[in-house]
Amino acid sequence: MSIDEAQSEQSLATESLYSSTYQVGQDNIRPFGLDIHNPVFLISSCTIVSFIVFTLSQPDLAAVYFNELRIWLTTTLDWFFMGAMNLYLLFCVFLVLSPYGRIRIGGPQASPRYHFLSWVCMLFAAGIGIGIMFYGVLEPMNHALIPPLNAESIEGQSLRELAMAATIYHWAFHPWAGYALVGLSLAFFCYNKGLPLVIRSALYPLLGERTWGWPGHIVDIIAVFATLFGLATSLGYGAEQAAGGLNYLFDVPMGSATNILLVIVITAMALTSVLNGLDGGIKRLSEWNMAVAACLGLFVLFSGPTLEIMEQFFHYSAAYISYLPELSNWSGRTDFYYMHDWTTFYWAWWIAFSPFVGMFVARISTGRTVRAFVLTTILAPSLIFMLWMTIFGHMAMVQYFDQGVLDIADSVRNFQPELTLFVFLGQFDFTLITSIVGIALVLVFFVTSMDSGSLIVDTMTAGGKISTPVTQRIFWCVALGLIGIALLLGGGLSSIQALALATAFPFSLIMFLMMVSLFLGLRSEAR
């Protein structure tokens, strides 16, 4: 049975006040054979096209504006983003411990569509898979060279533990709590209450029938913008790192031309995957990427001091728990470089990414209990990230502090983050092979994020429909590629970061409402 068939059956079977409002497609129109939810599609598409035209026609002006916007947002809203992420994590802990954890997504008789390993691979590959390649070496080294919490006086093992704790803080638990909140809200109201798979559905207990009017349209439009610019951030990092790897290995010139060519090639690859659908494209690519990433991680693990790295995993995990209160508290902080350029940006990036990852996870998670959904969505990717960061981050610090490899630190100090991974791999045997594997992983993570993201945006702008015309999915995939090109030309990564921050703020307010709405819905279901 397909997901849309299961959704339709569930909507007919659900006897609640929600089922009477299930209106997927009732106000859709079909110009040129498209199937679009009129206000959401038209406003979103016209705004995105206008943005692309402006940025491409005025790249210098866009670069100045976006850079100023990024600085203002990170310095003004640091407390807001940090408080919001803390609250999302605490709410997820409450769900796991509460009696609501026994509720099953899709109803008591629902069974999982994907086996556990495929499920984990898909949610991980969609949820910032590029990040492990770009930041696995870069971030621990950066925090070792410029310690957070104004801890410049510490050194040795204590310095390494702080650097790894600060890295784990950004990649484990907190971001995945945001994904779990959005994903569970969508899955519950879609598969248990019979509502369409769109962001607005998660607010039905609060909005009532206004869910289907302009309040709901605005919610979905904000979600579309957050998804597109959150994805553009990930795609920008992917293009920069792939270009850096090609330059490091084959002297391919770096610059806008190479980045744009890479975006075009990857967009074409993503289009092929989109046309193959969820099972034919995204699922296979996700499983392949996880297998290859695991091989690369094991190669680094067994090429270094294996037992030492595994032992450090527990030390760094303990350090993360020890430093967590300080890292998650914004009051009285003066380490603004770490707090603003890293933490505030990361939290905004994760929030902007959450409608995409949340909706994608919701689509593949029927049949799981609330407790299993939340625990797996948070714990499984978090543990993978912690292990990956330990293997690559610890080994990078060993290269620099113990073996005297200065190039790896120079790439951080000289603001060449796209080269850090390849300088790191250059210290091992089979450098050419592992570096090519690294580039391939970046590109395929790029593809899985792009094709699943365009599929999700298409669903949101079609009023929750899952089976939409091919032309429509092609439009959003191409639009996403053009956004990436426009932002790379209009200021590079700074511009991309600014747009992620700007769209994350309004969507974080929607996530606050989701917590209240989900609690009301689960309480009603339990009764």
Side-chain angles (χ1 to χ4, degrees), residues 92-93 95-96 180 184 369-379:
C92 288
V93 173
L95 291 179
V96 170
L184 180 60
T369 64
V370 168
R371 184 171 291 113
F373 179 99
V374 174
L375 283 175
T376 305
T377 302
I378 294 177
L379 290 181

Side-chain angles (χ1 to χ4, degrees), residues 162-226:
L162 173 59
M164 287 303 305
T167 300
I168 293 171
Y169 171 59
H170 289 151
W171 289 91
F173 302 104
H174 275 81
W176 293 95
Y179 296 161
L181 168 62
V182 178
L184 180 60
S185 298
L186 292 172
F188 174 75
F189 286 106
C190 174
Y191 299 114
N192 290 69
K193 299 301 184 182
L195 297 182
L197 189 62
V198 283
I199 299 295
R200 69 174 77 189
S201 296
L203 302 184
Y204 184 84
L206 300 178
L207 297 179
E209 292 302 309
R210 289 176 298 174
T211 302
W212 318 117
W214 274 104
H217 295 332
I218 292 172
V219 168
D220 281 348
I221 290 168
I222 291 173
V224 169
F225 291 155

Side-chain angles (χ1 to χ4, degrees), residues 482-499:
L482 290 174
I483 291 172
I485 291 173
L487 288 173
L488 286 171
L489 291 176
L493 294 181
S494 293
S495 296
I496 294 174
Q497 292 174 354
L499 270 297

Side-chain angles (χ1 to χ4, degrees), residues 444-520:
V444 180
F445 273 129
F446 198 149
V447 171
T448 55
S449 294
M450 196 168 185
D451 60 8
S452 51
S454 58
L455 194 64
I456 294 306
V457 171
D458 183 33
T459 299
M460 286 193 282
T461 56
K465 285 195 172 182
I466 294 175
S467 298
T468 56
V470 173
T471 306
Q472 198 161 304
R473 284 176 280 165
I474 292 174
F475 170 82
W476 286 115
C477 191
V478 172
L480 184 55
L482 290 174
I483 291 172
I485 291 173
L487 288 173
L488 286 171
L489 291 176
L493 294 181
S494 293
S495 296
I496 294 174
Q497 292 174 354
L499 270 297
L501 286 159
T503 54
F505 175 68
F507 193 77
S508 62
L509 301 178
I510 294 174
M511 291 174 67
F512 288 143
L513 297 177
M514 280 185 178
M515 288 191 294
V516 178
S517 184
L518 180 59
F519 172 76
L520 295 175

Side-chain angles (χ1 to χ4, degrees), residues 139-141 143-145 147-148 151 154-168 305 308 312 315-317 319-320 323 389-390 393-404:
E139 186 167 356
M141 278 303 306
H143 301 332
L145 296 171
I154 68 171
E155 56 186 16
Q157 179 65 16
S158 297
L159 176 61
R160 300 185 192 193
E161 289 180 355
L162 173 59
M164 287 303 305
T167 300
I168 293 171
E308 176 185 322
Q312 291 300 325
H315 289 300
Y316 294 149
S317 299
Y320 161 71
Y323 281 109
M389 294 298 183
T390 297
H394 177 74
M395 195 60 221
M397 288 187 286
V398 167
Q399 288 181 356
Y400 176 65
F401 290 109
D402 299 342
Q403 300 175 1

